Amino acid sequence: YNYTRDVVSQVRPDMVQGGNETDDGMLWDLGKISKNGWKNYVSLANKGYDAVKSVSSSIPVIIHYSNGGNNSKCRWFFDNYKNNGGKFDAIGLSFYTMWHGSIADMKGNVTDLKSRYGKPVYIVETAYYWDTNQCGYSGSQVPYPQTQDGQYQFCQDVRTAAESAGASGIFYWGSHWCQSWKWLTAPGWSNDDASRRSLFDDDAKATKGILGLVLQ
């Protein structure tokens, strides 16, 4: 509570996301859902929510779940979160075709969640390849060409589908992560070729994909 209140007081953001892809809670092991159930996680999330509102009641708080194309998993998560007293103003979803299904799956999920919970829904993570991926994804996992044109078409289609489903916004993940293999490290993490999904190439020049997000 104190940490969140301090940060929000200094930064005064337009929106706050209470944790990143909190599929299994946060602040492990204390707030790990699979280990300690929903009570601890919801208590932690609610303290963060209350801290934000203590600064400004008008700042919306998002709860973020990763499986943006899987409606049954999203319903499971948000039903449990809500039924255990979890507070939230909006839903955040990740959507990557290699992990979360098709654009049609995402569109149907956004439509359902918006209606079911009466909250705005955002795609808070999405990205696609402007160059051949280094992790071996193929076939239906990467249905667009892994080129700048393919990235452009993916971005355009995601934006169109999200808008038509009633999503309130899209955030592109790792847009600036060109040459990420040179600097992106973390314990227990290996490079998932994020640099191939950035919106800038290896020379730090903008890819065509940017236009797919901004042009009508």
Side-chain angles (χ1 to χ4, degrees), residues 41-115:
Y41 165 56
V42 170
S43 178
L44 290 166
N46 281 350
K47 284 295 184 181
Y49 181 97
D50 292 343
V52 173
K53 299 301 181 179
S54 75
V55 177
S56 173
S57 61
S58 65
I59 299 176
V61 177
I62 289 179
I63 295 297
H64 179 194
Y65 186 70
S66 72
N67 286 276
N70 192 314
N71 185 242
S72 62
K73 287 185 176 181
C74 287
R75 281 189 172 202
W76 170 83
F77 180 87
F78 285 102
D79 279 355
N80 277 290
Y81 183 76
K82 182 179 178 181
N83 292 340
N84 280 275
K87 302 174 184 179
F88 63 116
D89 301 316
I91 290 171
L93 303 173
S94 297
F95 175 68
Y96 301 94
T97 58
M98 56 281 198
W99 300 313
H100 303 140
S102 68
I103 289 179
D105 292 332
M106 178 272 289
K107 180 180 178 180
N109 189 35
V110 170
T111 300
D112 178 74
L113 297 180
K114 191 170 183 288
S115 173

Side-chain angles (χ1 to χ4, degrees), residues 129-148:
Y129 299 99
W130 61 268
D131 190 19
T132 303
N133 79 83
Q134 300 164 345
C135 291
Y137 301 122
S138 62
S140 61
Q141 290 181 301
V142 283
Y144 294 81
Q146 296 172 54
T147 62
Q148 290 206 23

Side-chain angles (χ1 to χ4, degrees), residues 14-32:
D14 294 324
M15 187 181 297
V16 172
Q17 180 176 292
N20 181 67
E21 292 188 344
T22 56
D23 300 22
D24 199 14
M26 62 182 178
L27 295 175
W28 291 358
D29 283 335
L30 179 63
K32 191 171 187 177

